[in-house]
Amino acid sequence: YSFCTLLGGGGPMSERRVTPGDADCAHKYQTNLVVNSKYTLWSFIPLNIYEQFGRPLNLYFLLIAMLQLISIIAPVNPLSTIIPLVFAFSLTAIKEGLDDRERHREDAKFNSRKYEVIHEGVLRPIESQEIRVGDIVKVRKGDEIPCDLFLLKSSDEDGLAYIRTDNLDGEIDLKPRNCVEGLVVDNVFAFRGTIVCGHPDQKLYTFNSRLEMPDGSSHTVSSMQLLLQSCFLQNTDWVYGVAVYTGSDTKCGQNKQDPPIKWAGVDRQVSHYAIFVFIFQLTIAFSMGIAGNVVLDTKAKDAWYLHLGGTKAYEYLVIPMRFFLLTSVMIPISFKVIIDVSKYYISLVIGWDITMFDPDIDAPKGSPAKANSTALAEDLGQIKCILTDKTGTLTDNIMEFKACSLNGEICGGGHGTVFNPSISPFDMGGFDSRKDAPFMLFAKVLALCHSVALEDGELAASSPDEEALVKAAARMRVRFTARTKNVITIDNDGAEETYDILHTMEFNSDRKMMSLLLRQQMTGQIILLSKGADDKLIARMEGGGEAITLLGKHLSTFASAGLRTLVLGHRTVAEDVYEKWAARLDTAQKVTGDKRDEEVQKVYDTLEFGLKLVGATAIEDKLQDGVPETISKLREAGINFWMLTGDKFETAKQISRSCGLWTAGETLVTLTYESDTQLQTDLKKLLDKVQAGDSPGFGSTVNEQYDTLTQDSGVGSTSSRKLEVVAGGDSDEGYVLIVEGKTVEHLLEKFVKPFKTLCLSMNSVICCRVTPSQKAGLTRMAKTDLEHVEDAGCFTRPLVRGHTYTKVLSVGDGGNDVAMIQEATVGVGIVGKEGRQASRAADYSIARFRFLQPLLLVHGQYSYQRSCYIVQYCFYKSMLLAIIQIMYNNYALYSGVSYWNSLLLTTWNSLFAVPVPFYVFDKILPRGKLLANPSLYKQSQKGAALSGWTFLRFIATGALQGILCLVLTLVVFGDSISKDAQPMDFQPCFTITYTVLVMIQVWVVILDSHSMTAINLFGIFSMPPFYLAFIAAYAAIPFLEYYGVAGRVLSDPAVWLFVILLTLLFFVPIYAYRAWNENFRPNSFQATRRRKAPRDPLMVLSTPLLLNTPTQPSPHDFNNLETSPSSPLARHDSPVEDA
């Protein structure tokens, strides 16, 4: 909590009492100033420096820079380290500063908005940041709520208000709010009630408070009376509200937290390799230091200029420190800057990829892919497991009423299959003649039991399911026509029926059902209408018998067709029963604190029982285009799939079949439960069978399990089932595992290690009936290596003792998927109908599931290959210079002197690192071939491009080339005379060596590149002329020691002949060896490169376009492009992702 809140008594054990017009209340709590920025003008420099030095590598560079200031041990000018360090720090600081400037602008925009507030009986405008607790604020339609407001009065005569909460939970549908029941506020200017609420907390949908009036009366206040900051007022002209939480005390402010810090696997590897290089550096430094001290004590007795002065202990320390500074270039300062620039470019490329652009989302603007994180691009190329939501992720989240179970019959069909050919819901007028009581009751429940509102004659539903059911009722001639706070009206085949809304028992993820308590105005009869998940509703049904048995079979049939199901029930409530129940509910609602919800649910349970079966609905949510093909491709790439869904067992099973998670040749294994003991026994038995390669089938089939359900358990419930392991058949193509939610809970709490072992043996894992927290627990388990998995506790605490290594990707579209998205190595959000919360919380945002193909197979592999090479190249390039420093001291009596000029040493990893960043344009293969050959993904998946061996090879190559370059330069030119009769002494020799190294860099990048564009050709070949111009200008400064050296050396034809021959000596053998390998022992990439690239299948599913800006396609372009195979945009051997 904020400091001022603590001073004001807003601690955890106190209540907050808010009275409008109370000056003490206003000053006790903080203002409504919103601060999302990280820095201020005065804190920017010290805070940013502190953050940057919190990284171990930066501390190392700072240590080097400080040691360079000590002249006796500094072999080169301190500026050779300080300038690159300041440059790297400045770039990072500028980037952080620009990012924070945007946050400052957003804060200023929000804080300066004008709102009308009642002050001293007058409504006057003030800025948002000036609002205090207790102020009565007027908010108009379309305005953003400035702070958490208690809803006092609304322009709606029934006290209703509607808010849009997509800034909080990502859901774009309108949410109703209403004034306190029974409270009439005629004059808001004179209102003096006191809102008694708890201290600020993170619970967005909990506000268990009360309103105390001056006359002593008290009213219950809940979240239905709270307007949350960052929401927008919609469908309501104006509201008045009392500010109860302001600034960072608001629910939104309390929920603000930094996103989880994620490091790419390549970054972790490089950190480990940098430690190895550091240890090697220390070893060399102290070995050469010992040698230098021995030489100083023996051979150098007469060399007075080598003696350092001071004590022996002092001299023994100086030379090792000199060598430590000489070799500090082994860990290059520049590599982090180069990698960050490369990652930023890669993130732009992902947004520019036209095959990941969907014009239908947010039309007409369209929805491109977006990289919210620039740090994880390499991990996209190493994913081993994808955990996916179902609804809205694999499916379109466009609901269509397809069938129903009514009066013991199935009405309608699904997926082209007619369950009962004699009755169809809408086709050919199948319902037109139905006017029997069961049918009319069924349609009325659909038209009445919902939370849908009407906005300008259009349905405004909180979920696509509810909208589909209300529309289905309308087609059955029972039309929902009006709704106010207390009344709902329907048109029943031309006859208007009006009902008083006595109470709404809302749906939530724990209840999995909703109920509406109504009184029909014409008859006065009180009825309770309920709908919800089958495992919740059927347990509350009266009796059982044949109707429940038939319902179970119908639900199984619907689920087998992949349809989503809801069960409907109703009961009549006597007036005296209602009055007693309402009194108990009123008592429960007056309970303050966290106990209120529990007490209210207990009261609900006393009414939501003894229901009579009305029927069941079946809604189709179609698969997105390209889902089966995408899953097939990614499975071929070696990626396992886990589907985590809240749907029932049979629905999850059928969807897994239709989307390709379970193929015909795979054995299906299902797990249900009854007790922990039985679970542990059968889990061990199953593991033994699977690991032995035997068919694990034992137990009954799924259909038999449904036949043996008891009345009390509810259809689809797992509560009465024993653990069953059901095999679909014997096959050599592997296993698919299906687990239900309650079983998942036990497995995550008590049997994590055997469960993880079992999952590793499966091609796919399907978990149904799982909660958001279980999704996060499963993701945590999936990304944790088996040796780090504890035997228990995954569900409640982190699993890992140390680092995690398995790279997993979570993909979802709703707010309930955020936990697993943030838990995964890489989180991907689908921009869908459930809002934008998942896409905002994710590392990457895409519009369609099929876009995972180019995201992983193309951008993932490109990013991984490029980053791995750039990192290793930077270390290789630094090793060239460092090893020459070491070897030169063999000629300099191990004195710790530098071979290099300080300026050229400084520019080596900055100005003359030009070819390195241009490798970001390299493509190991054209994208068409990467998409057509997904098995190539396994190479990056197993880390073939960056390992201890490849890193060591780069380091060894740099060391060998550096040694040969120095030795040959000194052998050829060490005792020679230049053409102008000047000796080839120290400065001419290092100039020749430096020139050879520059030429080596050009040919290294060329030979290691897999493709060339005009951009990287220009960048690579521009470096030699730039280098020559630079040293010519440097050598032209008269007062420098280097004056005239470059012109004297590089004008000698013998020098250029040596440079050319030495460059050829290094690269002709390497080129010949690689050519022989590619022709006679090609690796998978080389063999694929020779084959003709097919058309990109993603282009068939995507609308081609031209980009008129780097980030935003023009809608006009969609109408003017050819989609034929000859179209340039349909050819993916061209660099379309670099458009």
Side-chain angles (χ1 to χ4, degrees):
Y1 308 110
S2 63
F3 183 65
C4 53
T5 301
L6 290 174
L7 290 179
M13 299 306 294
S14 64
E15 289 183 329
R16 175 174 290 204
R17 301 181 65 86
V18 179
T19 304
D22 186 344
D24 292 337
C25 172
H27 291 91
K28 184 183 294 185
Y29 305 107
Q30 61 180 289
T31 65
N32 198 43
L33 179 68
V34 173
V35 179
N36 292 308
S37 54
K38 183 190 293 187
Y39 308 107
T40 66
L41 187 62
W42 300 108
S43 70
F44 174 68
I45 292 178
L47 185 56
N48 187 264
I49 289 176
Y50 172 77
E51 289 176 346
Q52 293 206 53
F53 284 127
R55 301 167 187 166
L57 271 179
N58 288 344
L59 282 176
Y60 166 80
F61 296 136
L62 177 64
L63 173 64
I64 297 299
M66 293 173 64
L67 292 176
Q68 294 276 27
L69 296 173
I70 304 174
S71 59
I72 188 101
I73 64 173
V76 294
N77 193 315
L79 293 177
S80 64
T81 300
I82 293 174
I83 290 176
L85 184 64
V86 171
F87 177 73
F89 273 44
S90 299
L91 278 182
T92 303
I94 290 170
K95 176 181 175 296
E96 292 287 335
L98 290 175
D99 290 344
D100 203 56
R101 185 180 66 172
E102 293 303 314
R103 289 189 284 266
H104 272 284
R105 287 177 175 174
E106 291 298 319
D107 287 347
K109 182 179 177 181
F110 183 89
N111 290 324
S112 61
R113 286 176 180 165
K114 297 289 186 178
Y115 290 90
E116 295 176 287
V117 175
I118 296 177
H119 274 180
E120 298 177 353
V122 178
L123 195 64
R124 65 179 186 179
I126 65 171
E127 291 187 345
S128 173
Q129 61 186 337
E130 298 176 297
I131 296 174
R132 306 299 297 255
V133 171
D135 285 346
I136 298 179
V137 184
K138 184 176 184 179
V139 181
R140 299 183 184 275
K141 181 179 180 180
D143 288 346
E144 186 172 356
I145 311 294
C147 57
D148 289 352
L149 300 175
F150 163 71
L151 180 57
L152 188 61
K153 189 173 183 179
S154 167
S155 60
D156 183 85
E157 61 182 11
D158 294 309
L160 283 173
Y162 292 91
I163 58 174
R164 202 181 74 228
T165 62
D166 50 317
N167 277 347
L168 290 180
D169 56 18
E171 296 180 3
I172 59 178
D173 301 301
L174 298 183
K175 307 292 193 305
R177 295 292 183 265
N178 55 267
C179 298
V180 173
E181 188 76 28
L183 177 68
V184 178
V185 181
D186 294 323
N187 185 4
V188 293
F189 293 85
F191 179 77
R192 289 297 179 270
T194 299
I195 302 105
V196 182
C197 54
H199 58 82
D201 59 40
Q202 297 179 334
K203 299 175 182 177
L204 292 175
Y205 306 111
T206 300
F207 187 59
N208 297 328
S209 310
R210 67 182 183 275
L211 174 64
E212 296 178 352
M213 299 300 291
D215 60 5
S217 62
S218 178
H219 301 269
T220 299
V221 176
S222 71
S223 59
M224 291 301 293
Q225 286 79 52
L226 186 66
L227 306 179
L228 296 174
Q229 183 196 56
S230 298
C231 297
F232 287 84
L233 184 68
Q234 297 290 340
N235 206 31
T236 310
D237 292 334
W238 50 261
V239 296
Y240 283 96
V242 180
V244 289
Y245 300 124
T246 54
S248 60
D249 283 348
T250 63
K251 301 277 189 179
C252 181
Q254 291 288 305
N255 275 278
K256 285 177 183 173
Q257 56 184 3
D258 293 330
I261 298 174
K262 295 181 180 182
W263 279 26
V266 169
D267 291 338
R268 292 183 184 274
Q269 283 182 272
V270 171
S271 298
H272 296 154
Y273 297 153
I275 294 172
F276 163 76
V277 173
F278 178 69
I279 294 172
F280 177 70
Q281 177 192 353
L282 288 178
T283 304
I284 291 293
F286 284 99
S287 299
M288 297 295 286
I290 292 171
N293 282 307
V294 170
V295 170
L296 191 65
D297 288 341
T298 54
K299 298 181 181 180
K301 288 182 179 180
D302 299 326
W304 56 268
Y305 52 85
L306 292 178
H307 290 278
L308 305 172
T311 64
K312 284 290 182 183
Y314 174 74
E315 289 186 349
Y316 288 158
L317 183 62
V318 168
I319 295 181
M321 293 303 295
R322 280 185 177 178
F323 278 104
F324 178 72
L325 295 178
L326 275 178
T327 56
S328 62
V329 72
M330 284 185 180
I331 303 178
I333 297 176
S334 62
F335 91 92
K336 184 61 179 170
V337 175
I338 294 172
I339 284 295
D340 286 345
V341 171
S342 301
K343 288 184 175 184
Y344 178 72
Y345 167 75
I346 290 167
S347 70
L348 294 179
V349 166
I350 289 173
W352 296 340
D353 190 341
I354 59 175
T355 67
M356 294 198 295
F357 182 88
D358 192 325
D360 297 326
I361 302 293
D362 293 335
K365 184 175 66 173
S367 177
K370 182 182 178 182
N372 298 324
S373 170
T374 61
L376 304 173
E378 303 90 350
D379 283 347
L380 291 172
Q382 294 190 285
I383 299 300
K384 294 184 178 179
C385 180
I386 293 177
L387 298 96
T388 176
D389 177 43
K390 183 188 78 68
T391 304
T393 303
L394 298 177
T395 63
D396 269 324
N397 204 15
I398 299 175
M399 307 299 177
E400 181 181 356
F401 182 85
K402 275 292 186 181
C404 61
S405 172
L406 178 58
N407 201 25
E409 295 180 302
I410 290 181
C411 306
H415 290 288
T417 302
V418 179
F419 304 128
N420 188 335
S422 63
I423 303 177
S424 180
F426 308 120
D427 297 341
M428 301 177 67
F431 274 158
D432 290 347
S433 60
R434 292 290 299 267
K435 293 187 178 181
D436 52 295
F439 170 76
M440 298 308 297
L441 177 60
F442 179 85
K444 286 170 68 173
V445 172
L446 294 184
L448 289 168
C449 187
H450 56 78
S451 60
V452 178
L454 283 170
E455 183 178 2
D456 299 327
E458 298 293 328
L459 297 178
S462 59
S463 73
D465 302 68
E466 288 217 313
E467 184 176 349
L469 293 177
V470 172
K471 287 181 176 179
R475 295 187 67 180
M476 297 175 190
R477 305 185 309 283
V478 180
R479 189 165 55 90
F480 164 58
T481 57
R483 186 188 200 114
T484 64
K485 178 183 177 182
N486 298 314
V487 177
I488 186 170
T489 305
I490 61 174
D491 182 326
N492 186 358
D493 199 14
E496 184 178 279
E497 295 184 11
T498 305
Y499 296 82
D500 295 326
I501 302 175
L502 302 179
H503 195 79
T504 302
M505 304 172 208
E506 296 180 350
F507 175 91
N508 62 46
S509 57
D510 294 324
R511 282 170 47 79
K512 293 184 180 180
M513 61 177 291
M514 76 163 289
S515 297
L516 210 61
L517 191 61
L518 305 172
R519 176 187 278 116
Q520 189 173 16
Q521 290 185 356
M522 182 179 294
T523 64
Q525 184 184 38
I526 300 175
I527 54 173
L528 177 73
L529 306 180
S530 299
K531 69 179 181 184
D534 51 272
D535 57 334
K536 296 294 184 180
L537 258 291
I538 294 184
R540 300 171 184 269
M541 290 292 173
E542 179 183 61
E546 185 180 359
I548 297 297
T549 303
L550 284 173
L551 177 65
K553 291 181 178 180
H554 294 171
L555 290 174
S556 179
T557 302
F558 295 153
S560 297
L563 303 179
R564 296 160 61 89
T565 59
L566 286 175
V567 175
L568 312 179
H570 80 110
R571 63 168 290 193
T572 301
V573 180
E575 186 70 34
D576 60 331
V577 172
Y578 165 68
E579 290 176 357
K580 293 177 182 178
W581 179 85
R584 290 197 300 270
L585 179 63
D586 184 60
T587 301
Q589 288 179 331
K590 290 180 180 178
V591 174
T592 58
D594 295 338
K595 289 280 187 180
R596 177 187 291 182
D597 292 339
E598 181 181 341
E599 294 300 317
V600 167
Q601 182 57 50
K602 289 179 181 177
V603 177
Y604 285 174
D605 290 339
T606 63
L607 195 65
E608 292 177 318
F609 78 99
L611 301 175
K612 295 180 179 179
L613 178 64
V614 174
T617 63
I619 298 176
E620 181 184 42
D621 186 8
K622 292 182 179 179
L623 283 178
Q624 293 182 19
D625 292 336
V627 167
E629 294 81 3
T630 298
I631 290 176
S632 176
K633 286 278 189 182
L634 296 180
R635 289 184 73 179
E636 189 179 341
I639 299 175
N640 289 332
F641 274 85
W642 294 17
M643 185 176 75
L644 315 180
T645 177
D647 280 333
K648 65 197 304 291
F649 176 89
E650 286 293 336
T651 304
K653 177 182 172 184
Q654 181 58 35
I655 290 294
S656 68
R657 169 71 86 179
S658 59
C659 71
L661 288 176
W662 170 33
T663 61
E666 292 174 320
T667 299
L668 181 67
V669 179
T670 67
L671 290 180
T672 57
Y673 85 102
E674 184 178 77
S675 67
D676 295 346
T677 304
Q678 186 68 26
L679 177 62
Q680 186 175 20
T681 303
D682 284 354
L683 186 61
K684 184 178 183 305
K685 189 188 300 185
L686 173 63
L687 270 174
D688 292 341
K689 286 177 174 285
V690 169
Q691 291 175 344
D694 299 333
S695 171
F698 57 91
S700 60
T701 66
V702 176
N703 288 333
E704 289 170 350
Q705 291 177 32
Y706 273 105
D707 290 341
T708 56
L709 288 173
T710 63
Q711 260 184 35
D712 299 332
S713 66
V715 174
S717 171
T718 60
S719 59
S720 68
R721 298 185 190 176
K722 294 183 179 180
L723 176 66
E724 299 286 350
V725 182
V726 183
D730 297 329
S731 175
D732 295 330
E733 295 186 20
Y735 306 102
V736 174
L737 176 68
I738 298 185
V739 192
E740 290 188 288
K742 197 67 178 178
T743 310
V744 169
E745 183 177 345
H746 282 285
L747 290 169
L748 290 179
E749 288 180 343
K750 300 181 180 180
F751 310 113
V752 182
K753 200 153 193 170
F755 183 37
K756 169 77 173 183
T757 306
L758 179 64
C759 291
L760 291 176
S761 305
M762 300 290 155
N763 294 344
S764 300
V765 178
I766 294 103
C767 298
C768 52
R769 296 293 199 192
V770 290
T771 63
S773 58
Q774 287 175 335
K775 288 183 178 183
L778 287 164
T779 305
R780 192 178 308 127
M781 184 190 76
K783 76 176 184 179
T784 307
D785 275 355
L786 190 60
E787 59 267 26
H788 293 299
V789 174
E790 298 178 359
D791 290 331
C794 172
F795 185 62
T796 56
R797 54 193 168 91
L799 282 169
V800 183
R801 299 187 295 263
H803 295 298
T804 60
Y805 302 100
T806 304
K807 294 178 178 62
V808 302
L809 180 148
S810 288
V811 55
D813 73 314
N816 60 340
D817 300 317
V818 169
M820 77 168 183
I821 284 173
Q822 293 186 333
E823 185 67 49
T825 311
V826 179
V828 176
I830 302 287
V831 180
K833 292 187 175 295
E834 290 189 22
R836 301 294 187 271
Q837 190 177 13
S839 61
R840 289 201 305 264
D843 304 304
Y844 296 91
S845 170
I846 57 177
R848 297 289 177 182
F849 182 84
R850 67 174 183 267
F851 294 164
L852 285 178
Q853 276 194 70
L855 186 66
L856 300 184
L857 300 183
V858 178
H859 297 289
Q861 292 194 78
Y862 281 166
S863 303
Y864 175 73
Q865 298 287 343
R866 292 164 177 172
S867 294
C868 289
Y869 180 83
I870 291 173
V871 165
Q872 294 174 109
Y873 178 88
C874 287
F875 278 91
Y876 152 80
K877 190 171 184 285
S878 296
M879 182 56 69
L880 280 171
L881 247 64
I883 203 69
I884 288 176
Q885 294 277 53
I886 297 168
M887 292 304 299
Y888 177 69
N889 274 272
N890 287 300
Y891 299 92
L893 295 179
Y894 303 99
S895 58
V897 66
S898 174
Y899 180 68
W900 302 113
N901 173 285
S902 293
L903 179 63
L904 294 181
L905 184 64
T906 303
T907 56
W908 177 249
N909 279 322
S910 53
L911 293 180
F912 302 139
V914 172
V916 190
F918 284 94
Y919 193 85
V920 78
F921 296 103
D922 184 68
K923 299 171 191 166
I924 193 167
L925 280 175
R927 64 177 290 145
K929 290 187 175 181
L930 291 176
L931 288 167
N933 299 274
S935 59
L936 293 173
Y937 187 83
K938 296 176 183 178
Q939 297 299 311
S940 60
Q941 196 181 54
K942 64 186 181 184
L946 178 61
S947 63
W949 168 248
T950 61
F951 186 83
L952 185 61
R953 191 172 61 201
F954 270 85
I955 294 295
T957 302
L960 180 60
Q961 289 180 350
I963 292 171
L964 287 175
C965 191
L966 175 69
V967 171
L968 292 175
T969 302
L970 295 180
V971 168
V972 174
F973 294 102
D975 299 321
S976 65
I977 302 296
S978 67
K979 68 174 185 176
D980 58 355
Q982 297 292 325
M984 285 288 197
D985 56 9
F986 172 71
Q987 296 205 32
C989 281
F990 87 67
T991 302
I992 294 170
T993 309
Y994 201 93
T995 304
V996 173
L997 296 185
V998 169
M999 298 304 169
I1000 286 175
Q1001 301 318 299
V1002 174
W1003 291 104
V1004 164
V1005 176
I1006 289 175
L1007 283 180
D1008 288 343
S1009 295
H1010 304 94
S1011 62
M1012 283 291 174
T1013 66
I1015 297 175
N1016 55 357
L1017 280 174
F1018 172 79
I1020 293 169
F1021 284 108
S1022 66
M1023 194 180 78
F1026 173 72
Y1027 160 71
L1028 293 175
F1030 178 85
I1031 63 167
Y1034 177 47
I1037 303 174
F1039 58 84
L1040 294 179
E1041 185 182 2
Y1042 195 71
Y1043 178 69
V1045 173
R1048 180 161 58 91
V1049 173
L1050 299 179
S1051 63
D1052 190 341
V1055 171
W1056 282 109
L1057 179 63
F1058 175 79
V1059 170
I1060 293 170
L1061 290 176
L1062 193 55
T1063 304
L1064 291 174
L1065 174 66
F1066 285 150
F1067 289 105
V1068 168
I1070 295 175
Y1071 177 78
Y1073 175 73
R1074 290 184 179 179
W1076 186 88
N1077 268 341
E1078 187 160 347
N1079 281 280
F1080 299 102
R1081 292 194 310 172
N1083 59 32
S1084 53
F1085 286 105
Q1086 292 166 345
T1088 305
R1089 192 175 295 117
R1090 299 180 182 183
R1091 297 197 292 266
K1092 184 179 179 181
R1095 244 187 111 190
D1096 182 353
L1098 266 295
M1099 201 47 130
V1100 178
L1101 295 172
S1102 303
T1103 305
L1105 69 159
L1106 295 171
L1107 299 181
N1108 62 331
T1109 69
T1111 57
Q1112 183 54 57
S1114 166
H1116 172 72
D1117 294 324
F1118 288 96
N1119 301 320
N1120 301 305
L1121 295 175
E1122 298 180 11
T1123 57
S1124 66
S1126 60
S1127 170
L1129 289 175
R1131 292 175 54 208
H1132 289 284
D1133 51 351
S1134 61
V1136 297
E1137 78 282 358
D1138 294 332

